[in-house]
Amino acid sequence: MSIEVQFEIILASFFFGIYFMLAYDFFNRLFINKKGKLIRLIFEILFFLSNTLLFFLLMLKISFASFSIFMFLFIILGSLFYSILFRKEILEFYEFIFVSINKK
């Protein structure tokens, strides 16, 4: 595997970690007041499976699906980066959107 491909894998994994946390926070905000834990569990499983498939397809396109430990480390690093720097503002933005929608 060339250095360019490894760099693409690292960047894609990092940004996928950020994307995943954005999507998961949106998912949690969407289902925060919904009743029925079984329904939420089913949707959560579908959410995780679809994101896993999306990541696999992304890695298939970049590196022909050869996995390394760096992928998972940079997903975690991207998630931590999002959680530390952007999470509060993004959650406030999601709250603003859902309150605006509920007013109408």
Side-chain angles (χ1 to χ4, degrees):
M1 196 178 327
S2 70
I3 290 290
E4 293 172 356
V5 172
Q6 290 178 8
F7 186 69
E8 288 176 3
I9 289 170
I10 287 172
L11 281 180
S13 297
F14 180 78
F15 286 118
F16 189 82
I18 293 173
Y19 155 75
F20 179 75
M21 290 305 293
L22 276 166
Y24 189 65
D25 280 344
F26 184 80
F27 177 84
N28 279 334
R29 179 55 189 98
L30 187 64
F31 284 99
I32 197 165
N33 293 327
K34 306 291 186 216
K35 303 229 186 309
K37 294 188 185 233
L38 181 63
I39 301 283
R40 181 185 166 108
L41 177 67
I42 292 170
F43 279 116
E44 219 167 83
I45 289 171
L46 289 173
F47 174 78
F48 283 115
L49 286 176
S50 64
N51 277 310
T52 302
L53 178 65
L54 180 66
F55 183 69
F56 177 75
L57 292 174
L58 181 67
M59 288 301 117
L60 183 64
K61 183 158 178 67
I62 292 174
S63 68
F64 305 109
S66 61
F67 287 101
S68 69
I69 190 70
F70 295 110
M71 291 178 187
F72 303 110
L73 290 176
F74 275 89
I75 287 176
I76 292 169
L77 185 65
S79 300
L80 289 173
F81 180 79
Y82 165 79
S83 295
I84 292 169
L85 293 179
F86 300 118
R87 188 171 196 179
K88 182 180 177 191
E89 291 81 14
I90 296 296
L91 289 176
E92 288 173 0
F93 178 68
Y94 286 161
E95 188 65 31
F96 172 74
I97 289 173
F98 280 94
V99 167
S100 299
I101 290 172
N102 286 336
K103 283 183 182 177
K104 294 180 179 183

